[in-house]
Amino acid sequence: MLKNVRYAKCVKCGKEYEATPNTTTCECGGILDIVYNYDYIKSTFNKGVLSLNREQSMWRYRPLLPVEPDSAPTPLRVGWSPLYKADNLAKALGLKTLYVKDDGQNPTASLKDRASAMAVVKAREAGATTIACSSTGNAASSLAGNAAAAGIPTYIFVPSRAPKGKVAQLRIFGATVISVDGSYEDTFELSKAAIEKWGWYNRNAAINPYLSEGKKTVTLEIMEQLGWQVPDYIALSVGDGCTIAGAWKGLKDLYNIGFIDKLPRLISVQAEGCCPLNRAIMTDTPWQPMEENTLADSIAVGVPRNADKALMAIRESNGLVINVSDDEILAAMRLLGRTQGVFGEPAGVTGTAGVKKALELGLLDPDSTVVSVVTGNGLKDVANGIRAAGEPMLVKPDMDALLSAFKANGINP
């Protein structure tokens, strides 16, 4: 029994369960939340103790993570990604203070490495020999990479629309990849059936309550990197809801152990073509499934599996909900790259697109301090990178041809 964890609790009916490595969902179908023993944590963990920790990864926060004291961390370095003070972008947007958390610098180039690293550790604790999941791409590649480093085979189910860059990662990492000719919902259901049939360890975020605990380390890092000075807002792209739920959980954990004295508001950003969670908030109605009509594949989730936790996080934080078009997402890719040198994939920059739109709509005070989380690297989806930035000039190896190309493109060196 973990000393820092009390139990797992259903977010729907409130039933409590022992937090074992194999804990999944409630018998009512609700997702479980890991509940911590904050009094015990405060007796052994404080800012001074943390400042002496030389571990530069997500595992520096072990007192706030549901892992056994003797559980080895994953071999890949996950977490402690840079937080940039984005003055150029802030000026372009008309915002006083903006920070960009570049989580595309994780080992497999997305924030989801945090969840997968946690899944690998819990799978080891459970004695599992195989791990499986369904994914639109990033969860899949992060699991395949982290599991490969730990010597654990994986079975990965992805929609056939998954970008080639992410599929290439899966194959390079040695995963058994099943490309499903259907939606993400179809992919999830097939993975669920296969996991039940063969007894694989389940990395699916809406089934495994430990994955949000890995994802929450992104906000633990943000707060430490800001010297525990809480920003007004944290903006995140949202798909199945696991990331924003985890981010909020991390903030509440820090508040409950006294590391921060207030909580920021969240900005939940979804693509207009697939925004079931934001639509539920905007209309104050239960969420309903939607088509997956967006180029931001990582957040193209028409049936979000972590809806309860995500909606709770947005409401508890008095958060903003912003929907952005695919064109606005592509524009954010260009703007983030040209002002800050950060290359994000479409879903990775959706949070930044939402900050821009919130300012334009007058929903965000220009004097605010905002952190925008870039959740994935643009090299995962180079086709949309070129779509956002345009093809390069093609010229003959001749100075006259170069001068003509410059003139045609309005370039005056």
Side-chain angles (χ1 to χ4, degrees), residues 264-280:
R265 297 174 68 185
L266 300 178
I267 303 177
S268 169
V269 191
Q270 293 202 279
E272 285 180 353
C274 191
C275 56
L277 296 177
N278 281 2
R279 185 174 66 177

Side-chain angles (χ1 to χ4, degrees), residues 113-181:
D113 277 325
R114 299 175 184 274
S116 290
M118 178 63 69
V120 168
V121 170
K122 298 308 289 186
R124 281 171 165 173
E125 290 181 3
T129 57
T130 303
I131 312 178
C133 77
S134 64
S135 166
T136 53
N138 281 335
S141 55
S142 70
L143 174 60
N146 281 276
I152 303 174
T154 53
Y155 286 80
I156 310 291
F157 296 75
V158 296
S160 56
R161 62 173 163 77
K164 295 298 183 184
K166 298 176 184 180
V167 175
Q169 281 186 299
L170 295 173
R171 299 298 292 139
I172 288 293
F173 295 146
T176 298
V177 182
I178 300 92
S179 181
V180 180
D181 186 14

Side-chain angles (χ1 to χ4, degrees), residues 327-371:
D327 285 343
E328 288 168 326
I329 291 170
L330 293 173
M333 290 179 72
R334 293 192 299 271
L335 186 60
L336 185 61
R338 294 173 186 183
T339 59
Q340 297 300 146
V342 173
F343 186 16
E345 66 170 314
V349 306
T350 298
T352 302
V355 172
K356 182 176 186 293
K357 191 163 187 177
L359 285 163
E360 293 169 350
L361 294 174
L363 300 174
L364 188 59
D365 186 338
D367 289 331
S368 300
T369 296
V370 180
V371 177

Side-chain angles (χ1 to χ4, degrees), residues 51-112:
S51 69
L52 297 175
N53 191 330
R54 295 296 172 255
E55 174 68 48
Q56 298 294 296
S57 76
M58 63 179 271
W59 302 108
R60 68 188 277 106
Y61 306 107
R62 284 181 76 109
L64 286 170
L65 298 176
V67 296
E68 298 287 351
D70 59 350
S71 288
T74 45
L76 299 182
R77 187 275 310 152
V78 176
W80 207 245
S81 59
L83 180 72
Y84 301 122
K85 192 168 188 292
D87 292 338
N88 294 335
L89 180 55
K91 183 178 180 181
L93 296 180
L95 184 62
K96 180 179 180 182
T97 307
L98 177 65
Y99 293 88
V100 169
K101 176 71 165 169
D102 187 7
D103 239 41
Q105 294 198 34
N106 277 308
T108 75
S110 84
L111 183 149
K112 292 182 180 179

